Amino acid sequence: MVGVRYIGRFAPSPTGLLHAGSLVAALASWLDARAHNGQWLVRIEDIDAPRCVAGADKQILEQLAACGLVADSEPTWQSHRTYLYETALTQLIDKGWTYPCGCSRKEIEDVYVSLGQDLARHSAAVYPGTCRDGLNGKPARAWRLNVQAVIKALHLPQTLEWHNRRMGHQQQDVAREVGDFVLKRADGLWAYQLAVVVDDADQGITHVVRGEDLHDNTARQILLQKALGLPTPIYMHTPLVMGENGEKLSKQNGAQALDLQNPLAALNLAAKALGLNPCATNVEDALHEWTHVWLSSKSLL
Ligand code: GLU
């Protein structure tokens, strides 16, 4: 694979430490970069300041290092890069593809109630478009992307299609299934979708390898890339690790931080989730062995 231009990344949010589930995405993205003779970057996604845990960023980098996963350049912090997100939002505003939104969550819920629909069963409710044609005197709270305006102006198909290296052909009608999504939140914070798209492009990311829980965001990100005139990376989403209760391991449901006393055991568990055989010797040999078999491993089938 020599000669393939490859820049990959792992982009943890420092809302807690790495756990067995997040190590799967970290390991897969590292192995994929190594197997392609590419570069592997680490980006700390700390724009949601109220949810970040003090010191978790440094500890995550230590956890990764203990597992032999060290970035090829200095890690970056999204909180240092907000000027890039501001520039991107201005670009979209200038195109006329955004609008300010004055709706509170309660007001959005009320629209669903008035339509006789139960929002609890539609937790990722499609924004009903209330402010698309004006704020009706309400103060602006957030900025939304006018999805249909982008699709129309760029002559994009209504249903976006893309390929996921592990999950195969994918498609989503963003206007119908997601709606006009938020770029800058009512609390003034940058939305994940905008920040991730801007950073992936700015850092020249060619391959995104991340957990399957983020799969549903991909179409929104591809649409934003097109709206901003940015390239679309190649995507692969890694399998989720389920806890004993049958739910995916996550910080929200109390997943244990990785045990740094035994990084090989943690790596072996992550490797198993990726369909790789455990390695009994040491971290360095394990990473070497898995890199060697990665591109023909079950993870990519
Ligand atoms: N920061 C996100 C998370 O920790 C990952 C973003 C991404 O890989 O696109 O879930």
PDB file of all heavy atoms in Angstrom, residues 246-280:
ATOM      1  N   GLY A 246     -26.211  -5.492  27.866  1.00  0.00           N
ATOM      2  CA  GLY A 246     -26.642  -5.539  26.469  1.00  0.00           C
ATOM      3  C   GLY A 246     -26.644  -4.179  25.797  1.00  0.00           C
ATOM      4  O   GLY A 246     -26.956  -4.059  24.626  1.00  0.00           O
ATOM      5  N   GLU A 247     -26.286  -3.125  26.552  1.00  0.00           N
ATOM      6  CA  GLU A 247     -26.209  -1.786  25.950  1.00  0.00           C
ATOM      7  C   GLU A 247     -24.780  -1.495  25.541  1.00  0.00           C
ATOM      8  O   GLU A 247     -23.849  -2.043  26.134  1.00  0.00           O
ATOM      9  CB  GLU A 247     -26.617  -0.729  26.979  1.00  0.00           C
ATOM     10  CG  GLU A 247     -28.106  -0.601  27.141  1.00  0.00           C
ATOM     11  CD  GLU A 247     -28.437   0.496  28.141  1.00  0.00           C
ATOM     12  OE1 GLU A 247     -27.766   1.529  28.139  1.00  0.00           O
ATOM     13  OE2 GLU A 247     -29.374   0.267  28.926  1.00  0.00           O
ATOM     14  N   LYS A 248     -24.621  -0.574  24.562  1.00  0.00           N
ATOM     15  CA  LYS A 248     -23.248  -0.276  24.150  1.00  0.00           C
ATOM     16  C   LYS A 248     -22.492   0.375  25.308  1.00  0.00           C
ATOM     17  O   LYS A 248     -23.062   1.135  26.085  1.00  0.00           O
ATOM     18  CB  LYS A 248     -23.235   0.607  22.902  1.00  0.00           C
ATOM     19  CG  LYS A 248     -23.480   2.060  23.185  1.00  0.00           C
ATOM     20  CD  LYS A 248     -22.929   2.951  22.100  1.00  0.00           C
ATOM     21  CE  LYS A 248     -23.265   4.388  22.445  1.00  0.00           C
ATOM     22  NZ  LYS A 248     -22.338   5.384  22.331  1.00  0.00           N
ATOM     23  N   LEU A 249     -21.188   0.008  25.399  1.00  0.00           N
ATOM     24  CA  LEU A 249     -20.366   0.607  26.450  1.00  0.00           C
ATOM     25  C   LEU A 249     -20.215   2.086  26.152  1.00  0.00           C
ATOM     26  O   LEU A 249     -19.846   2.463  25.054  1.00  0.00           O
ATOM     27  CB  LEU A 249     -18.966  -0.007  26.436  1.00  0.00           C
ATOM     28  CG  LEU A 249     -18.713  -1.320  27.140  1.00  0.00           C
ATOM     29  CD1 LEU A 249     -17.209  -1.562  27.194  1.00  0.00           C
ATOM     30  CD2 LEU A 249     -19.302  -1.334  28.522  1.00  0.00           C
ATOM     31  N   SER A 250     -20.502   2.929  27.124  1.00  0.00           N
ATOM     32  CA  SER A 250     -20.304   4.364  26.920  1.00  0.00           C
ATOM     33  C   SER A 250     -20.088   5.010  28.275  1.00  0.00           C
ATOM     34  O   SER A 250     -20.414   4.433  29.315  1.00  0.00           O
ATOM     35  CB  SER A 250     -21.505   4.989  26.219  1.00  0.00           C
ATOM     36  OG  SER A 250     -22.589   5.024  27.114  1.00  0.00           O
ATOM     37  N   LYS A 251     -19.525   6.222  28.217  1.00  0.00           N
ATOM     38  CA  LYS A 251     -19.289   6.938  29.475  1.00  0.00           C
ATOM     39  C   LYS A 251     -20.621   7.177  30.170  1.00  0.00           C
ATOM     40  O   LYS A 251     -20.727   7.110  31.379  1.00  0.00           O
ATOM     41  CB  LYS A 251     -18.607   8.278  29.181  1.00  0.00           C
ATOM     42  CG  LYS A 251     -17.189   8.128  28.686  1.00  0.00           C
ATOM     43  CD  LYS A 251     -16.670   9.431  28.099  1.00  0.00           C
ATOM     44  CE  LYS A 251     -15.898   9.179  26.833  1.00  0.00           C
ATOM     45  NZ  LYS A 251     -15.557  10.387  26.098  1.00  0.00           N
ATOM     46  N   GLN A 252     -21.663   7.464  29.337  1.00  0.00           N
ATOM     47  CA  GLN A 252     -22.981   7.771  29.897  1.00  0.00           C
ATOM     48  C   GLN A 252     -23.521   6.611  30.725  1.00  0.00           C
ATOM     49  O   GLN A 252     -24.178   6.824  31.719  1.00  0.00           O
ATOM     50  CB  GLN A 252     -24.009   8.090  28.795  1.00  0.00           C
ATOM     51  CG  GLN A 252     -23.835   9.437  28.144  1.00  0.00           C
ATOM     52  CD  GLN A 252     -22.699   9.451  27.118  1.00  0.00           C
ATOM     53  OE1 GLN A 252     -22.141   8.408  26.795  1.00  0.00           O
ATOM     54  NE2 GLN A 252     -22.333  10.632  26.645  1.00  0.00           N
ATOM     55  N   ASN A 253     -23.260   5.366  30.281  1.00  0.00           N
ATOM     56  CA  ASN A 253     -23.779   4.284  31.119  1.00  0.00           C
ATOM     57  C   ASN A 253     -22.680   3.623  31.949  1.00  0.00           C
ATOM     58  O   ASN A 253     -22.717   2.429  32.235  1.00  0.00           O
ATOM     59  CB  ASN A 253     -24.681   3.294  30.345  1.00  0.00           C
ATOM     60  CG  ASN A 253     -23.982   2.661  29.163  1.00  0.00           C
ATOM     61  OD1 ASN A 253     -22.770   2.440  29.216  1.00  0.00           O
ATOM     62  ND2 ASN A 253     -24.711   2.380  28.111  1.00  0.00           N
ATOM     63  N   GLY A 254     -21.717   4.470  32.321  1.00  0.00           N
ATOM     64  CA  GLY A 254     -20.781   4.093  33.383  1.00  0.00           C
ATOM     65  C   GLY A 254     -19.699   3.094  33.010  1.00  0.00           C
ATOM     66  O   GLY A 254     -19.248   2.338  33.869  1.00  0.00           O
ATOM     67  N   ALA A 255     -19.272   3.082  31.735  1.00  0.00           N
ATOM     68  CA  ALA A 255     -18.201   2.143  31.351  1.00  0.00           C
ATOM     69  C   ALA A 255     -16.931   2.467  32.151  1.00  0.00           C
ATOM     70  O   ALA A 255     -16.606   3.633  32.370  1.00  0.00           O
ATOM     71  CB  ALA A 255     -17.917   2.269  29.864  1.00  0.00           C
ATOM     72  N   GLN A 256     -16.254   1.426  32.600  1.00  0.00           N
ATOM     73  CA  GLN A 256     -15.018   1.571  33.384  1.00  0.00           C
ATOM     74  C   GLN A 256     -13.889   2.125  32.526  1.00  0.00           C
ATOM     75  O   GLN A 256     -13.740   1.710  31.375  1.00  0.00           O
ATOM     76  CB  GLN A 256     -14.559   0.172  33.826  1.00  0.00           C
ATOM     77  CG  GLN A 256     -15.471  -0.529  34.785  1.00  0.00           C
ATOM     78  CD  GLN A 256     -15.141  -0.127  36.200  1.00  0.00           C
ATOM     79  OE1 GLN A 256     -13.979  -0.073  36.575  1.00  0.00           O
ATOM     80  NE2 GLN A 256     -16.164   0.202  36.966  1.00  0.00           N
ATOM     81  N   ALA A 257     -13.070   3.010  33.118  1.00  0.00           N
ATOM     82  CA  ALA A 257     -11.886   3.492  32.397  1.00  0.00           C
ATOM     83  C   ALA A 257     -10.937   2.321  32.163  1.00  0.00           C
ATOM     84  O   ALA A 257     -10.927   1.360  32.930  1.00  0.00           O
ATOM     85  CB  ALA A 257     -11.189   4.568  33.222  1.00  0.00           C
ATOM     86  N   LEU A 258     -10.154   2.394  31.097  1.00  0.00           N
ATOM     87  CA  LEU A 258      -9.188   1.328  30.783  1.00  0.00           C
ATOM     88  C   LEU A 258      -8.216   1.121  31.926  1.00  0.00           C
ATOM     89  O   LEU A 258      -7.763   2.086  32.528  1.00  0.00           O
ATOM     90  CB  LEU A 258      -8.336   1.738  29.578  1.00  0.00           C
ATOM     91  CG  LEU A 258      -8.954   1.686  28.214  1.00  0.00           C
ATOM     92  CD1 LEU A 258      -7.896   2.094  27.205  1.00  0.00           C
ATOM     93  CD2 LEU A 258      -9.454   0.280  27.920  1.00  0.00           C
ATOM     94  N   ASP A 259      -7.848  -0.123  32.157  1.00  0.00           N
ATOM     95  CA  ASP A 259      -6.893  -0.439  33.210  1.00  0.00           C
ATOM     96  C   ASP A 259      -5.472  -0.332  32.639  1.00  0.00           C
ATOM     97  O   ASP A 259      -5.057  -1.165  31.844  1.00  0.00           O
ATOM     98  CB  ASP A 259      -7.179  -1.866  33.713  1.00  0.00           C
ATOM     99  CG  ASP A 259      -6.180  -2.291  34.762  1.00  0.00           C
ATOM    100  OD1 ASP A 259      -5.364  -1.440  35.182  1.00  0.00           O
ATOM    101  OD2 ASP A 259      -6.226  -3.471  35.151  1.00  0.00           O
ATOM    102  N   LEU A 260      -4.762   0.717  33.053  1.00  0.00           N
ATOM    103  CA  LEU A 260      -3.427   0.950  32.491  1.00  0.00           C
ATOM    104  C   LEU A 260      -2.375  -0.002  33.054  1.00  0.00           C
ATOM    105  O   LEU A 260      -1.253  -0.049  32.565  1.00  0.00           O
ATOM    106  CB  LEU A 260      -2.993   2.393  32.744  1.00  0.00           C
ATOM    107  CG  LEU A 260      -3.717   3.443  31.909  1.00  0.00           C
ATOM    108  CD1 LEU A 260      -3.160   4.813  32.178  1.00  0.00           C
ATOM    109  CD2 LEU A 260      -3.606   3.116  30.425  1.00  0.00           C
ATOM    110  N   GLN A 261      -2.749  -0.758  34.095  1.00  0.00           N
ATOM    111  CA  GLN A 261      -1.797  -1.738  34.641  1.00  0.00           C
ATOM    112  C   GLN A 261      -1.523  -2.833  33.610  1.00  0.00           C
ATOM    113  O   GLN A 261      -0.481  -3.455  33.617  1.00  0.00           O
ATOM    114  CB  GLN A 261      -2.361  -2.409  35.917  1.00  0.00           C
ATOM    115  CG  GLN A 261      -2.630  -1.459  37.065  1.00  0.00           C
ATOM    116  CD  GLN A 261      -1.388  -0.648  37.389  1.00  0.00           C
ATOM    117  OE1 GLN A 261      -0.297  -1.184  37.524  1.00  0.00           O
ATOM    118  NE2 GLN A 261      -1.546   0.674  37.465  1.00  0.00           N
ATOM    119  N   ASN A 262      -2.518  -3.085  32.784  1.00  0.00           N
ATOM    120  CA  ASN A 262      -2.362  -4.190  31.842  1.00  0.00           C
ATOM    121  C   ASN A 262      -2.845  -3.786  30.438  1.00  0.00           C
ATOM    122  O   ASN A 262      -3.901  -4.226  29.986  1.00  0.00           O
ATOM    123  CB  ASN A 262      -3.138  -5.405  32.356  1.00  0.00           C
ATOM    124  CG  ASN A 262      -2.725  -6.660  31.606  1.00  0.00           C
ATOM    125  OD1 ASN A 262      -2.047  -6.578  30.564  1.00  0.00           O
ATOM    126  ND2 ASN A 262      -3.138  -7.804  32.114  1.00  0.00           N
ATOM    127  N   PRO A 263      -2.058  -2.925  29.760  1.00  0.00           N
ATOM    128  CA  PRO A 263      -2.511  -2.462  28.445  1.00  0.00           C
ATOM    129  C   PRO A 263      -2.663  -3.576  27.421  1.00  0.00           C
ATOM    130  O   PRO A 263      -3.543  -3.514  26.561  1.00  0.00           O
ATOM    131  CB  PRO A 263      -1.426  -1.470  28.015  1.00  0.00           C
ATOM    132  CG  PRO A 263      -0.344  -1.527  29.015  1.00  0.00           C
ATOM    133  CD  PRO A 263      -0.811  -2.293  30.198  1.00  0.00           C
ATOM    134  N   LEU A 264      -1.848  -4.640  27.533  1.00  0.00           N
ATOM    135  CA  LEU A 264      -1.951  -5.724  26.548  1.00  0.00           C
ATOM    136  C   LEU A 264      -3.324  -6.395  26.644  1.00  0.00           C
ATOM    137  O   LEU A 264      -3.939  -6.711  25.622  1.00  0.00           O
ATOM    138  CB  LEU A 264      -0.821  -6.749  26.738  1.00  0.00           C
ATOM    139  CG  LEU A 264      -0.817  -7.890  25.721  1.00  0.00           C
ATOM    140  CD1 LEU A 264      -0.636  -7.359  24.284  1.00  0.00           C
ATOM    141  CD2 LEU A 264       0.270  -8.929  26.035  1.00  0.00           C
ATOM    142  N   ALA A 265      -3.795  -6.591  27.894  1.00  0.00           N
ATOM    143  CA  ALA A 265      -5.114  -7.226  28.060  1.00  0.00           C
ATOM    144  C   ALA A 265      -6.197  -6.335  27.446  1.00  0.00           C
ATOM    145  O   ALA A 265      -7.110  -6.823  26.766  1.00  0.00           O
ATOM    146  CB  ALA A 265      -5.387  -7.462  29.544  1.00  0.00           C
ATOM    147  N   ALA A 266      -6.082  -5.017  27.664  1.00  0.00           N
ATOM    148  CA  ALA A 266      -7.076  -4.086  27.094  1.00  0.00           C
ATOM    149  C   ALA A 266      -7.020  -4.121  25.573  1.00  0.00           C
ATOM    150  O   ALA A 266      -8.054  -4.161  24.889  1.00  0.00           O
ATOM    151  CB  ALA A 266      -6.805  -2.672  27.611  1.00  0.00           C
ATOM    152  N   LEU A 267      -5.806  -4.136  25.029  1.00  0.00           N
ATOM    153  CA  LEU A 267      -5.655  -4.180  23.573  1.00  0.00           C
ATOM    154  C   LEU A 267      -6.188  -5.494  23.000  1.00  0.00           C
ATOM    155  O   LEU A 267      -6.816  -5.507  21.935  1.00  0.00           O
ATOM    156  CB  LEU A 267      -4.184  -4.018  23.191  1.00  0.00           C
ATOM    157  CG  LEU A 267      -3.650  -2.579  23.183  1.00  0.00           C
ATOM    158  CD1 LEU A 267      -2.129  -2.576  23.065  1.00  0.00           C
ATOM    159  CD2 LEU A 267      -4.267  -1.764  22.045  1.00  0.00           C
ATOM    160  N   ASN A 268      -5.936  -6.593  23.706  1.00  0.00           N
ATOM    161  CA  ASN A 268      -6.431  -7.886  23.219  1.00  0.00           C
ATOM    162  C   ASN A 268      -7.957  -7.904  23.143  1.00  0.00           C
ATOM    163  O   ASN A 268      -8.537  -8.463  22.209  1.00  0.00           O
ATOM    164  CB  ASN A 268      -5.934  -9.019  24.120  1.00  0.00           C
ATOM    165  CG  ASN A 268      -4.580  -9.548  23.658  1.00  0.00           C
ATOM    166  OD1 ASN A 268      -4.239  -9.486  22.476  1.00  0.00           O
ATOM    167  ND2 ASN A 268      -3.789 -10.056  24.586  1.00  0.00           N
ATOM    168  N   LEU A 269      -8.593  -7.285  24.126  1.00  0.00           N
ATOM    169  CA  LEU A 269     -10.065  -7.222  24.105  1.00  0.00           C
ATOM    170  C   LEU A 269     -10.557  -6.393  22.918  1.00  0.00           C
ATOM    171  O   LEU A 269     -11.510  -6.764  22.228  1.00  0.00           O
ATOM    172  CB  LEU A 269     -10.569  -6.564  25.382  1.00  0.00           C
ATOM    173  CG  LEU A 269     -10.961  -7.475  26.534  1.00  0.00           C
ATOM    174  CD1 LEU A 269     -11.498  -6.628  27.684  1.00  0.00           C
ATOM    175  CD2 LEU A 269     -12.031  -8.490  26.084  1.00  0.00           C
ATOM    176  N   ALA A 270      -9.878  -5.253  22.690  1.00  0.00           N
ATOM    177  CA  ALA A 270     -10.255  -4.386  21.559  1.00  0.00           C
ATOM    178  C   ALA A 270     -10.026  -5.132  20.246  1.00  0.00           C
ATOM    179  O   ALA A 270     -10.848  -5.075  19.328  1.00  0.00           O
ATOM    180  CB  ALA A 270      -9.449  -3.094  21.604  1.00  0.00           C
ATOM    181  N   ALA A 271      -8.905  -5.857  20.172  1.00  0.00           N
ATOM    182  CA  ALA A 271      -8.580  -6.601  18.955  1.00  0.00           C
ATOM    183  C   ALA A 271      -9.655  -7.657  18.679  1.00  0.00           C
ATOM    184  O   ALA A 271     -10.072  -7.859  17.531  1.00  0.00           O
ATOM    185  CB  ALA A 271      -7.209  -7.255  19.104  1.00  0.00           C
ATOM    186  N   LYS A 272     -10.118  -8.294  19.750  1.00  0.00           N
ATOM    187  CA  LYS A 272     -11.144  -9.339  19.597  1.00  0.00           C
ATOM    188  C   LYS A 272     -12.407  -8.727  18.961  1.00  0.00           C
ATOM    189  O   LYS A 272     -13.007  -9.317  18.058  1.00  0.00           O
ATOM    190  CB  LYS A 272     -11.455  -9.922  20.979  1.00  0.00           C
ATOM    191  CG  LYS A 272     -12.352 -11.116  20.945  1.00  0.00           C
ATOM    192  CD  LYS A 272     -12.349 -11.831  22.282  1.00  0.00           C
ATOM    193  CE  LYS A 272     -13.501 -12.815  22.307  1.00  0.00           C
ATOM    194  NZ  LYS A 272     -14.281 -12.727  23.536  1.00  0.00           N
ATOM    195  N   ALA A 273     -12.779  -7.537  19.438  1.00  0.00           N
ATOM    196  CA  ALA A 273     -13.972  -6.874  18.872  1.00  0.00           C
ATOM    197  C   ALA A 273     -13.789  -6.573  17.386  1.00  0.00           C
ATOM    198  O   ALA A 273     -14.755  -6.424  16.650  1.00  0.00           O
ATOM    199  CB  ALA A 273     -14.246  -5.583  19.641  1.00  0.00           C
ATOM    200  N   LEU A 274     -12.524  -6.478  16.968  1.00  0.00           N
ATOM    201  CA  LEU A 274     -12.235  -6.183  15.559  1.00  0.00           C
ATOM    202  C   LEU A 274     -11.974  -7.458  14.757  1.00  0.00           C
ATOM    203  O   LEU A 274     -11.546  -7.398  13.599  1.00  0.00           O
ATOM    204  CB  LEU A 274     -11.009  -5.261  15.464  1.00  0.00           C
ATOM    205  CG  LEU A 274     -11.223  -3.842  16.013  1.00  0.00           C
ATOM    206  CD1 LEU A 274      -9.901  -3.113  16.178  1.00  0.00           C
ATOM    207  CD2 LEU A 274     -12.159  -3.064  15.087  1.00  0.00           C
ATOM    208  N   GLY A 275     -12.192  -8.607  15.382  1.00  0.00           N
ATOM    209  CA  GLY A 275     -12.011  -9.881  14.679  1.00  0.00           C
ATOM    210  C   GLY A 275     -10.560 -10.288  14.535  1.00  0.00           C
ATOM    211  O   GLY A 275     -10.223 -11.121  13.678  1.00  0.00           O
ATOM    212  N   LEU A 276      -9.684  -9.709  15.366  1.00  0.00           N
ATOM    213  CA  LEU A 276      -8.258 -10.065  15.303  1.00  0.00           C
ATOM    214  C   LEU A 276      -7.943 -11.054  16.428  1.00  0.00           C
ATOM    215  O   LEU A 276      -8.585 -11.017  17.484  1.00  0.00           O
ATOM    216  CB  LEU A 276      -7.395  -8.817  15.492  1.00  0.00           C
ATOM    217  CG  LEU A 276      -7.580  -7.703  14.453  1.00  0.00           C
ATOM    218  CD1 LEU A 276      -6.966  -6.399  14.958  1.00  0.00           C
ATOM    219  CD2 LEU A 276      -6.957  -8.106  13.122  1.00  0.00           C
ATOM    220  N   ASN A 277      -6.925 -11.888  16.211  1.00  0.00           N
ATOM    221  CA  ASN A 277      -6.560 -12.852  17.247  1.00  0.00           C
ATOM    222  C   ASN A 277      -5.766 -12.176  18.355  1.00  0.00           C
ATOM    223  O   ASN A 277      -4.946 -11.298  18.085  1.00  0.00           O
ATOM    224  CB  ASN A 277      -5.708 -13.976  16.645  1.00  0.00           C
ATOM    225  CG  ASN A 277      -6.527 -14.824  15.695  1.00  0.00           C
ATOM    226  OD1 ASN A 277      -7.721 -15.043  15.923  1.00  0.00           O
ATOM    227  ND2 ASN A 277      -5.909 -15.257  14.617  1.00  0.00           N
ATOM    228  N   PRO A 278      -5.985 -12.612  19.612  1.00  0.00           N
ATOM    229  CA  PRO A 278      -5.215 -12.029  20.705  1.00  0.00           C
ATOM    230  C   PRO A 278      -3.724 -12.350  20.557  1.00  0.00           C
ATOM    231  O   PRO A 278      -3.361 -13.321  19.901  1.00  0.00           O
ATOM    232  CB  PRO A 278      -5.791 -12.687  21.954  1.00  0.00           C
ATOM    233  CG  PRO A 278      -6.551 -13.861  21.481  1.00  0.00           C
ATOM    234  CD  PRO A 278      -6.935 -13.631  20.052  1.00  0.00           C
ATOM    235  N   CYS A 279      -2.905 -11.520  21.145  1.00  0.00           N
ATOM    236  CA  CYS A 279      -1.459 -11.724  21.078  1.00  0.00           C
ATOM    237  C   CYS A 279      -0.951 -11.857  22.509  1.00  0.00           C
ATOM    238  O   CYS A 279      -1.347 -11.090  23.387  1.00  0.00           O
ATOM    239  CB  CYS A 279      -0.810 -10.537  20.386  1.00  0.00           C
ATOM    240  SG  CYS A 279       0.975 -10.681  20.329  1.00  0.00           S
ATOM    241  N   ALA A 280      -0.088 -12.854  22.746  1.00  0.00           N
ATOM    242  CA  ALA A 280       0.296 -13.159  24.128  1.00  0.00           C
ATOM    243  C   ALA A 280       1.591 -12.497  24.569  1.00  0.00           C
ATOM    244  O   ALA A 280       1.940 -12.564  25.735  1.00  0.00           O
ATOM    245  CB  ALA A 280       0.422 -14.675  24.280  1.00  0.00           C
TER     246      ALA A 280
END
